[in-house]
């Protein structure tokens, strides 16, 4: 992956093993001070790499400031930095390391500092109707009471935001705070919601329609919610990151913060939004939080702005923008109204979070307008134009009809639902009494057969327990009226009714002679075919009562059993059926209690589905498991799923589908820990039934268990014993894999693969005294487990070698002492691996090792370079075998680090030098000698002038002649002399200047086809014996100047010409410093000094002839590094082919030589000759009539 640096520890990787690498790199972050920064990385490698985090300008070891986590499900390694500070802005590095290498990549963290925190006020108000006064604060700075964050817990801000967020935002918020266990999060969130609702009930009646904060197209940031206060005088506070904010009531736009109240709606806005406005905003009523929203403002720019779009009606339109930095989510607005992802709009974000797209689906004419993308405090706008679809004309009537049908169906469904609710309410009213339906403790009074009663009540549970009976008005059969108020019922469904004569009846305890109920009847739901009991208790056992069903008196002959046991009265219904349902009453002395009996059935599982469901479901780790159960449809059916006794809720990796006749459970990305009992429970008012299945998640086994035992340890065998893994991964362990690493080495070697019925392993390839570390893996059909790694185990016992003889000094120099020694007599029973050498300086007792024990000296000699000139040392040596280093030898003789006496010796001097006149001459000579020699410089055998400067350093002498003249040319000699002898060396120095041009050039033709070029010598020729000449030619055919001769020491040259062409020649003087200005010749043309062709030549004579050498090659002996130019003349007809050979090898195609052939004048040019250019050079001319050749020898002078 680009941006990842990988280092491999070994030359060759074992088969199937890999070095670490990054599947996903951590991304650069820019967060606001005080927020949470989370770096995430996913790595790969075999064996699994270990991940660590560091930073450039500090350490990450403090667990309070830097928290590392690993999510096994997503395989993400995270570094969490809570409460980021400005000083934590840095470059962070992520290292992934295993035994074969490591990989590292970097990510930067930018921190935006926030401004100062404003202090706010809180003031009392007396007028609850004046909202502005109610929100006014005093001048005392108030901080919100925050719950302290405990180590290892999730940031409390996460729960504050989640409690006020929509379900669609759960995943985004979890991603921001680094929460990955959604199933656990949903359980905790439900518990916290119940706690929050209980707290909010103290100060508010309701809080709903909560919209999170976001920036709108006007540039303001707003959030809103609906809230109804219990007490209009309650104080409302708004906090940002725990600091209370001052805000206006919304009428003054100059205020930074405003809260506008419209009815029960509260709208909070922030004007002139900046990056410092980001943070956690919380609304409290008194000390109770009612709303929280997190405001994240990314500091980004639009690198790619929105572009205007145009679409045809019924087609999609796409808006796209590109940001300068990664942002997970931005705000999209259509005509200044925020839009969300759904059926109409599709919002997507690229993987790098830079490119954001909004797709407007199935465009209609009303979709046209202005669309805005808002990222932080920046926005981009574009327009959408929608054209009418010409193909859609004539379809409007059909579309309208379809819309009307849809509305009619929706109205019919709503009407049916309302009718069902009304029927249910009427049914409950027929079976109820003064306590109502018990839903909230209030409802309509009941009536019995032949009577008409009205009443109200309050309090009580779902059965009306502890309910206060309502007033009732009765009409008896005779038309008389009765009125009475029910008393407090202990366990009834309401108060007792008045008697027929209108007298008031009250419950008693029996102490005053009045009969009353200690416990009244309770409603029951009876299963069809089973028995049911109605029980009530009086305050006395001295009276009997009467049982009624639907107003008719019951006796034992009616198929029921009536029993009395002291104060307890029972009515037992055997084998309940639908006819037994109804309103049952028990009356005694004008007091009565009643209850409703409902008869029904439990729902039933589909037998085939139950049989299939009972079979275990087996999946591999990371796969999805699905369960389905079909059942008989019933109203008011409650469906629950359980895993190992814990209820499963829809969300995260769990998907629960509930239909009228079946339910499905899907668990995604199953873990081994999900293995266990899966249960579905169906519950209705008559009871519940359950079906049980089991989930088996197959995974690789756990690591083998210790403690590891070493059964045998000898010089050649190590026997290990271990225990099987605790978890076999759901599949039987098939084998164990054993790897070994020798201590001090980086590679692991597979040494064993044994069956699972063996828990011991004998390693027969160990060496005595060496220590080893073992890794043991368990393997099943799903994979290989994590390893159990052993401590260091040594093979056999230690046996050290004996001491060698004292080291001997072979030679000593100022920076090196050469030592030798012999092997010890005793090797300790194993091979000698090398030697450990130590030194001790004179007058000290400290022995210093010259090589580590793990890097022994292999031979029996060593050059000690860690010495100081003039110091004296003694040395000792120890032998090393498999057990380690043995006893050291006796010390060597004391030796001094200094050079032996040596005659002076010059190192690679140069014997020739050319200096431009006027420049300084610097001759630098390096030498070696011991002791240091005396240096003398001579010129032409005489001491140099005292005006010359001689610079001498250790091993170097330099002669400097300032502002050289021609007279400074000569042979300079350096003489070095010490007690061991004398050495000298000559250097030829030539002082020269750029040469003056030659004199006039003349042309003369003596032979047809050739011209003789002569010129006057350069004035510098008499002073410079190395001066020579170069001739260049220009003719009317080629129109370019080319060199025809070089290195001419004479003042004449003969060249070939062709008739009919004009020629110009130039002659240059040339020395070691370069060329002079040219001297030009007169023009040689058609009528210039031509030689007449003899008339006696036979016109019919043949011109063909074999090749011949007119001018042979000459001997050459140029100095090394100089140019060399060789030439000869050849003739023949037809024109012969000319080949050049060096030591018998053809060099015509060798680009190190410049070879020309100008009308028989054959030349070869070598730019800088070297020793490899020495040898025989031969020219061979060949045509159809014969062959000719000539040769010479080139000697290169040193």
């Amino acid at each position: 992956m680009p941006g990842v640096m990988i280092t491999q520890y070994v030359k060759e990787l074992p088969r199937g093993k890999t070095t670490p690498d990054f599947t996903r790199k951590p991304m650069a972050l820019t967060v606001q001070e005080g927020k949470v920064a989370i770096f995430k990385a996913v790595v790969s490698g075999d064996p699994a790499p270990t991940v660590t985090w560091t930073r450039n300008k500090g350490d990450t070891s403090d667990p309070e400031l830097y928290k590392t986590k690993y999510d096994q499900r997503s395989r993400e390694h995270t570094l969490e930095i809570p409460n980021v500070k400005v000083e934590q802005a840095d470059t962070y590095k992520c290292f992934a390391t295993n035994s074969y290498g490591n990989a590292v990549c970097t990510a930067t963290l930018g921190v935006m500092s926030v401004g100062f925190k404003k202090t706010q006020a809180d003031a009392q108000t007396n007028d609850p109707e004046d909202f502005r006064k109610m929100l006014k604060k005093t001048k005392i700075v108030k901080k919100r009471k925050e719950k302290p964050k405990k180590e290892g817990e999730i940031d409390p801000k996460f729960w504050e935001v989640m409690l006020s967020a929509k379900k669609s935002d759960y995943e985004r918020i979890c991603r921001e705070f680094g929460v990955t266990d959604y199933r656990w999060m949903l359980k905790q969130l439900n518990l916290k919601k119940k706690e929050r609702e209980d707290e909010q009930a103290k100060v508010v009646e309701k809080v709903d329609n909560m919209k999170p904060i976001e920036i709108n197209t006007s540039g303001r940031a707003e959030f809103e919610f609906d809230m109804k206060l219990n007490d209009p005088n309650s104080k409302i506070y708004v906090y940002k990151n725990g600091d209370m904010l001052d805000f206006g009531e919304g009428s003054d736009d100059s205020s930074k913060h405003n809260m506008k109240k419209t009815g029960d709606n509260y709208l909070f806005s922030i004007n002139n939004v900046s990056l410092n406005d980001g943070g956690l905003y919380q609304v409290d009523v008194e000390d109770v939080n009612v709303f929280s929203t997190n405001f994240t403002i990314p500091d980004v720019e639009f690198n790619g702005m929105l572009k205007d779009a145009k679409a045809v009606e019924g087609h999609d339109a796409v808006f796209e923008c590109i940001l300068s930095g990664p942002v997970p989510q931005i705000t999209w607005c259509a005509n200044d109204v925020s839009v969300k992802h759904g059926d109409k709009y599709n919002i997507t974000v690229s993987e790098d979070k830079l490119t954001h797209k909004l797709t407007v689906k199935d465009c209609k004419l009303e979709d046209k307008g202005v669309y805005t993308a808002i990222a932080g405090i920046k926005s981009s706008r574009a327009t959408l134009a929608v054209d009418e679809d010409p193909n859609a004309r004539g379809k409007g009537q059909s579309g309208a009809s379809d819309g009307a049908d849809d509305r009619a169906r929706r109205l019919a469904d709503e009407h049916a639902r309302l009718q069902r609710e009304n029927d249910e309410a009427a049914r409950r009213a027929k079976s109820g009494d003064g306590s109502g339906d018990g839903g909230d403790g209030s409802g309509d009074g009941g009536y019995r057969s032949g009577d008409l009663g009205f009443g109200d009540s309050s309090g009580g549970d779902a059965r009306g327990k502890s309910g206060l009976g309502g007033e009732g008005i009765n009409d008896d059969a005779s038309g008389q009226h009765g009125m009475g108020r029910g008393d407090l019922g202990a366990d009834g469904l309401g108060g007792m009714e008045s008697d027929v004569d209108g007298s008031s009846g009250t419950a008693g305890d029996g102490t005053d002679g009045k009969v009353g109920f200690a416990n009244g009847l309770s409603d029951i739901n009876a299963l069809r075919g089973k028995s049911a009991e109605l029980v009530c208790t009086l305050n006395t056992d001295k009276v009997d009562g009467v049982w009624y069903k639907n107003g008719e008196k019951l006796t034992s002959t009616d198929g029921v059993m009536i029993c009395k046991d002291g104060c307890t009265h029972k009515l037992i219904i055997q084998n309940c059926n639908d006819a037994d349902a109804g309103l049952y009453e028990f009356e005694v002395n004008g007091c009565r209690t009643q209850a409703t009996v409902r008869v029904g059935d439990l729902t039933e599982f589909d037998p085939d589905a139950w049989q299939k469901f009972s079979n275990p479901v087996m999946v591999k780790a990371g796969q999805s498991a699905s369960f389905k159960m079909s059942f008989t449809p019933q109203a008011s059916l409650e469906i629950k799923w359980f895993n190992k006794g814990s209820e499963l809720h829809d969300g995260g990796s769990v998907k629960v589908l509930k239909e009228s006749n079946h339910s499905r459970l899907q668990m995604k990305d199953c873990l081994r820990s999900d293995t266990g009992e899966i249960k579905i429970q169906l519950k209705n008012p008559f009871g519940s039934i359950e079906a049980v299945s089991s989930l088996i998640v197959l995974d690789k086994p756990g690591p083998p268990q210790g403690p590891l035992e070493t059964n045998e340890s000898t010089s050649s065998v190590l026997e290990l014993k271990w225990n099987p893994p605790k978890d076999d991964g759901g599949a039987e362990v098939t084998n164990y894999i054993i790897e070994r690493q020798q201590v001090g080495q980086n590679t692991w070697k597979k040494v064993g693969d044994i069956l699972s019925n063996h828990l011991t392993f004998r390693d027969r390839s160990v060496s005595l005294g060496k220590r080893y570390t073992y890794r043991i893996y368990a393997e099943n059909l799903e994979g290989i487990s994590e390893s159990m790694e052993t401590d260091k185990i040594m093979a056999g016992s230690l046996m050290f070698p004996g001491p060698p003889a004292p080291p001997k000094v072979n030679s000593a120099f100022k920076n090196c002492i050469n030592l030798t020694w012999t092997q010890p007599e005793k090797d300790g029973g194993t091979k000698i691996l090398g030697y450990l050498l130590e030194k001790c300086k004179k007058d000290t007792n400290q022995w210093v090792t010259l090589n580590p024990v793990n890097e022994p000296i292999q031979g029996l000699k060593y050059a000690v370079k860690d010495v100081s000139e003039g110091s004296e040392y003694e040395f000792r040596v120890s032998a090393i075998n498999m057990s380690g280093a043995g006893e050291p030898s006796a010390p060597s003789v004391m030796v001094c680090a200094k050079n032996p006496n040596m005659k002076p010796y010059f190192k690679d001097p140069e014997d020739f030098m050319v200096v431009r006149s006027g420049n300084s001459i610097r001759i630098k000579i390096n030498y070696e000698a011991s002791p240091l020699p005396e240096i003398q410089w001579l010129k032409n055998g005489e001491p140099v002038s005292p005006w010359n400067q001689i610079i001498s350093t250790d091993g170097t002498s330099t002669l400097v002649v300032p502002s050289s003249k021609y007279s400074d040319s000569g042979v300079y000699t350096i003489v070095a002399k010490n007690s061991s002898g004398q050495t000298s060396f000559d250097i030829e120095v030539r002082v020269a200047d750029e040469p003056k041009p030659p004199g006039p050039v003349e042309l003369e033709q003596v032979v047809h086809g050739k011209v003789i070029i002569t010129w006057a010598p350069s004035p510098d020729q008499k002073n410079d014996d190395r001066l020579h000449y170069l001739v260049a030619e220009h003719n009317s055919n080629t129109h370019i100047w080319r060199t025809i001769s070089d290195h001419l020491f004479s003042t004449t040259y003969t060249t070939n010409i062709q008739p009919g062409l004009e020629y110009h020649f130039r002659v240059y003087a040339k020395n070691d410093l370069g060329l002079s200005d040219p001297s030009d010749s007169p023009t040689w043309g058609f009528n210039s000094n031509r030689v007449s062709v003899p008339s006696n030549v036979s016109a019919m004579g043949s011109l063909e002839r074999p090749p011949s050498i007119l001018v042979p090659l000459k001997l050459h002996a140029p100095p090394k590094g100089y140019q060399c130019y060789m030439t000869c003349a050849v003739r023949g007809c037809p024109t012969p082919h000319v080949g050049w050979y060096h030591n018998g090898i053809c060099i015509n195609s060798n680009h190190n030589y410049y070879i020309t052939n100008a009308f028989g004048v054959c030349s070869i040019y070598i730019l800088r000759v070297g020793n490899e250019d020495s040898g025989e050079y031969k020219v061979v001319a060949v045509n159809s009539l014969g062959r000719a050749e000539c040769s010479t020898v080139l000697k290169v002078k040193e």
Side-chain angles (χ1 to χ4, degrees), residues 669-976:
D669 301 328
C670 290
L671 301 176
R672 173 63 182 161
S673 57
D674 293 328
T675 298
E677 180 186 81
I678 299 295
K679 180 172 66 177
I680 181 174
Q681 181 187 79
L682 304 181
K683 185 177 181 181
N684 65 7
F686 302 98
S688 63
I689 60 172
E690 296 177 348
V692 177
S693 182
S694 60
L695 171 63
I696 301 175
V697 180
L698 301 179
D699 199 357
K700 60 185 181 181
Q705 296 298 300
L708 182 83
E709 299 178 7
T710 305
N711 291 345
E712 183 181 354
S713 176
T714 66
S715 60
S716 59
V717 175
L718 274 175
E719 183 174 320
L720 309 176
K721 182 180 180 181
W722 61 91
N723 294 319
K726 290 183 179 179
D727 181 13
D728 62 3
E732 182 180 356
V733 174
T734 58
N735 58 295
Y736 294 97
I737 300 172
I738 299 94
E739 292 181 347
R740 185 188 69 195
Q741 180 192 57
Q742 184 177 330
V743 175
Q745 298 182 359
N746 293 325
T747 58
W748 287 87
K749 178 182 178 181
K750 182 178 178 180
V751 294
D753 190 340
I754 62 176
L755 297 177
S756 59
N757 56 351
H758 294 87
L759 296 176
T760 59
F761 174 73
R762 292 174 63 86
D763 188 0
R764 302 179 182 273
S765 59
V766 296
S767 300
L768 176 65
K770 287 189 177 181
R771 292 181 296 170
Y772 301 92
T773 303
Y774 290 87
R775 286 177 178 169
I776 305 174
Y777 303 85
E779 184 176 11
N780 62 9
L781 296 178
E782 302 304 319
I784 301 175
S785 71
E786 299 294 329
S787 66
M788 178 187 71
E789 187 166 333
T790 69
D791 296 330
K792 299 174 183 177
I793 305 173
M794 186 176 68
S797 57
L798 298 178
M799 296 182 66
F800 300 98
K808 294 182 180 181
V809 180
N810 281 358
S811 60
F813 302 91
K814 66 178 181 179
N815 56 2
C816 180
I817 298 176
N818 294 305
L819 303 173
T820 60
W821 57 86
T822 59
Q823 290 184 351
E825 295 180 358
K826 299 180 180 180
D827 58 8
T830 58
K831 180 182 177 182
I832 298 295
L833 301 178
Y835 297 89
L836 175 68
L837 187 63
E838 299 174 278
K839 71 175 181 178
C840 180
K841 198 172 183 181
K842 186 179 181 181
D843 299 329
T844 66
N845 295 322
Q846 183 180 7
W847 287 93
V848 180
T849 58
L850 298 176
N851 63 292
V853 177
N854 57 356
E855 297 179 7
I857 300 171
Q858 299 297 325
L860 296 174
K861 60 181 180 179
Y862 190 74
V864 182
K865 297 183 179 180
D866 186 14
V867 293
S868 300
E869 184 178 4
S871 299
E872 294 185 50
Y873 299 91
E874 59 182 350
F875 302 90
R876 69 183 185 185
V877 64
S878 305
I880 301 174
N881 65 3
M882 304 298 293
S883 299
E887 290 292 326
S889 68
S892 68
V893 298
M894 195 71 69
V895 60
C896 182
K898 65 176 184 178
N899 290 332
N901 292 340
M902 183 176 63
K903 180 181 177 181
Y905 165 73
F906 298 111
K907 296 187 293 184
D908 300 326
E910 293 184 0
D911 59 356
F912 183 78
M913 179 184 295
V914 178
V915 181
R916 186 185 297 274
S917 177
N919 293 347
S920 63
I921 301 173
R922 299 181 66 88
I923 307 174
K924 183 177 179 180
I925 301 296
N926 297 322
Y927 62 86
E928 289 184 357
S930 181
L932 290 177
E934 295 179 359
I935 302 297
Q936 184 181 13
W937 284 89
L938 305 175
K939 177 187 176 186
N940 298 326
E942 299 293 332
V944 296
S945 170
W947 299 103
N948 298 338
Q949 182 180 5
I950 299 175
I951 303 173
S952 296
T953 59
D954 187 13
T956 303
S957 181
T958 304
L959 173 66
V960 181
V961 180
S963 186
S964 63
K965 305 181 291 295
Y966 287 108
S967 59
D968 292 323
S969 297
V971 177
Y972 289 79
T973 304
I974 180 174
V975 180

Side-chain angles (χ1 to χ4, degrees), residues 30-36 82-88 110-117 157 240-241 275-276 278-279:
T30 301
V31 300
Q32 187 176 340
E33 181 184 5
K35 296 300 182 65
V36 178
N83 194 19
V84 173
K85 300 177 182 178
V86 176
E87 56 268 24
Q88 288 178 304
V111 181
M112 300 180 295
S113 60
V114 300
F116 66 92
K117 297 179 179 179
K157 293 182 180 179
K240 174 194 168 188
N241 294 330
L275 295 176
N276 293 332

Side-chain angles (χ1 to χ4, degrees), residues 945-1054:
S945 170
W947 299 103
N948 298 338
Q949 182 180 5
I950 299 175
I951 303 173
S952 296
T953 59
D954 187 13
T956 303
S957 181
T958 304
L959 173 66
V960 181
V961 180
S963 186
S964 63
K965 305 181 291 295
Y966 287 108
S967 59
D968 292 323
S969 297
V971 177
Y972 289 79
T973 304
I974 180 174
V975 180
K977 181 179 180 182
N978 66 3
S979 58
S980 298
Q982 175 178 313
T983 304
S984 63
F985 185 76
D986 296 335
I987 306 101
E988 181 183 357
V989 178
R990 183 176 298 277
V991 180
D993 209 340
E994 293 180 354
K996 295 181 177 60
V1001 180
E1002 297 180 356
L1003 304 177
E1004 181 182 1
Q1005 185 178 26
V1006 177
V1007 179
H1008 178 72
K1010 296 184 180 293
V1011 64
I1012 301 173
I1013 308 170
T1014 59
W1015 60 89
S1018 169
D1020 294 329
Q1021 181 173 336
K1022 59 183 179 180
N1023 297 324
D1024 191 349
D1025 59 351
R1026 295 174 64 85
L1027 185 139
H1028 53 278
Y1029 299 96
L1030 180 147
V1031 181
E1033 174 191 276
H1034 173 279
N1035 61 49
S1036 59
N1037 187 22
T1038 61
H1039 299 287
I1040 59 172
W1041 287 97
R1042 67 184 184 91
T1043 300
I1044 60 175
S1045 183
D1046 196 358
H1047 289 84
L1048 294 175
F1049 289 90
S1050 62
T1051 57
T1052 181
Y1053 180 74
T1054 302

Side-chain angles (χ1 to χ4, degrees), residues 535-547:
V535 181
C536 64
T537 304
L538 298 176
N539 57 4
T540 178
D541 59 353
K542 302 186 182 300
V543 295
D544 294 329
V546 181
W547 289 92

Side-chain angles (χ1 to χ4, degrees), residues 640-656:
K640 292 183 179 181
W641 288 88
F642 299 87
N643 180 12
K644 294 186 290 188
S646 299
E647 185 177 356
L648 300 176
H649 298 278
D650 190 15
S653 60
V654 177
K655 182 69 174 177
V656 177

Side-chain angles (χ1 to χ4, degrees), residues 258-279:
N258 288 284
M259 180 178 281
K260 184 178 180 181
K261 180 176 183 294
T262 305
D264 292 337
N265 179 264
Y266 294 80
L267 176 65
F268 182 85
S269 60
I270 306 172
N271 294 319
N272 302 320
V273 177
S274 65
L275 295 176
N276 293 332
D277 290 322

